[in-house]
Amino acid sequence: MSNQKLVIVTGGARGIGAATAKLFAKHGYAVCINYKSNTVAANNVVKEIKSLGGNCISQKADVSNEEEVLRLFNNVDRELGKVSVLVNNAGILKQQSRLEKMSADRINLILNNNVTSYFLCCREAVKRMSTEHQGSGGVIINVSSAAARSGAPNEYVDYAASKGAIDTLTKGLSLEVAGEGIRVNGVRPGFIYTDMHADGGEPERIARLKSKIPMGRDGMPKEVAEAIYWLASEKSSFSTGSFLDLAGGL
Ligand code: NAP
């Protein structure tokens, strides 16, 4: 196994995750992109990275499922080596709705997909990175959302609350492992141009809200990827438990 640095990007086949995977590959990382079901999108990212000489695999796994997370990390151990960076990015939105119309099934689906998944992947990464477990350290970046601050009223309070939980996870875990060679930071994007808004029921949501964004435009996945990469790099070596807001001033 080589000494090449290795990143796992959950939800790395589309949107912010795909931009992040490509950026890490450009900086010489071996990359594992994880995804839930869109194999075509995953294959395209792998193909693009490999065509530029990068080292990349894809792993289909639902990261809200504990067994699948274990399989994902074990496969990466075997196929690529020791994980140095985890980007927890996989997330979902459901149709825009006020809270009084939300079912328990929907709320639990959002919490499982957006919160349990991050906890499980953090757990597996810490087991491999922590100096307490004979690891040599590492970095975890959790992708939260500006919605954690806004609450996303009338649209998706469930989603916003799931991201609030991620901010608390980031803070708490960063303090648990600060003395074990692991830094844990978060990014809070908002209004980024991806397919996710269509999943929330309004593909043109950003166009509708653009005028309310102080910078007057939406953000691109690459702009979030650059922040994630900086937080993973030695340039942010004294940052842990902190957050970068990437929402054009909101
Ligand atoms: P996206 O374009 O919808 O892509 C989501 C990715 O996550 C896909 O690769 C999807 O896989 C994967 N995924 C979803 N659930 C999964 C699961 N249970 N297991 C494994 N993979 C799963 O989303 P995005 O806009 O790039 O968002 C990425 C992250 O940024 C999310 O955490 C989101 O909450 C956050 N964010 C986005 C925005 C924005 O404006 N776009 C703003 C704030 C925060 P499949 O394609 O196979 O389903």
Side-chain angles (χ1 to χ4, degrees):
M1 230 33 103
S2 76
N3 285 330
Q4 190 180 21
K5 281 189 168 185
L6 160 53
V7 64
I8 298 174
V9 183
T10 70
R14 294 194 286 121
I16 293 167
T20 302
K22 290 177 205 171
L23 186 64
F24 274 78
K26 198 170 127 194
H27 284 281
Y29 275 73
V31 178
C32 169
I33 58 162
N34 150 259
Y35 66 102
K36 185 163 68 183
S37 56
N38 193 335
T39 305
V40 173
N43 287 347
N44 285 341
V45 176
V46 173
K47 206 153 93 187
E48 185 175 334
I49 290 175
K50 283 190 165 168
S51 73
L52 297 170
N55 183 8
C56 182
I57 62 167
S58 66
Q59 286 287 313
K60 181 176 177 176
D62 176 350
V63 286
S64 67
N65 177 304
E66 187 167 24
E67 271 180 30
E68 295 192 28
V69 170
L70 291 175
R71 185 170 46 76
L72 163 68
F73 277 81
N74 288 335
N75 286 349
V76 171
D77 289 343
R78 206 175 42 250
E79 291 181 38
L80 287 178
K82 203 159 61 173
V83 59
S84 22
V85 177
L86 166 67
V87 181
N88 264 323
N89 165 79
I92 60 163
L93 262 186
K94 296 310 272 184
Q95 179 77 34
Q96 289 156 325
S97 164
R98 283 173 56 91
L99 180 142
E100 66 259 37
K101 292 196 177 132
M102 289 179 189
S103 66
D105 280 351
R106 166 181 166 140
I107 296 163
N108 288 332
L109 182 75
I110 291 290
L111 296 178
N112 272 333
N113 267 276
N114 294 359
V115 183
T116 305
S117 58
Y118 280 45
F119 272 80
L120 293 174
C121 291
C122 281
R123 184 189 75 193
E124 291 311 305
V126 167
K127 282 193 209 159
R128 288 158 173 83
M129 293 171 176
S130 169
T131 51
E132 289 292 303
H133 299 292
Q134 286 70 54
S136 43
V139 185
I140 297 172
I141 295 108
N142 289 328
V143 179
S144 171
S145 171
R149 293 182 283 108
S150 74
N154 303 309
E155 291 196 299
Y156 3 74
V157 176
D158 51 352
Y159 169 83
S162 76
K163 294 302 186 177
I166 294 312
D167 288 359
T168 306
L169 161 67
T170 301
K171 193 74 201 170
L173 181 62
S174 72
L175 298 174
E176 268 188 30
V177 298
E180 299 171 23
I182 306 175
R183 297 188 297 113
V184 187
N185 289 294
V187 292
R188 284 189 294 232
F191 307 101
I192 308 301
Y193 188 77
T194 72
D195 298 338
M196 180 171 252
H197 307 284
D199 295 339
E202 190 186 0
E204 300 307 320
R205 177 171 178 264
I206 294 183
R208 173 171 63 81
L209 297 172
K210 217 177 212 173
S211 63
K212 299 206 170 70
I213 303 170
M215 285 176 69
R217 68 170 179 89
D218 51 351
M220 298 309 285
K222 171 93 172 8
E223 295 179 284
V224 183
E226 289 287 358
I228 292 172
Y229 182 73
W230 182 77
L231 284 170
S233 75
E234 276 304 300
K235 295 198 172 158
S236 64
S237 51
F238 204 44
S239 296
T240 198
S242 64
F243 302 89
L244 269 174
D245 289 308
L246 304 150
L250 278 179

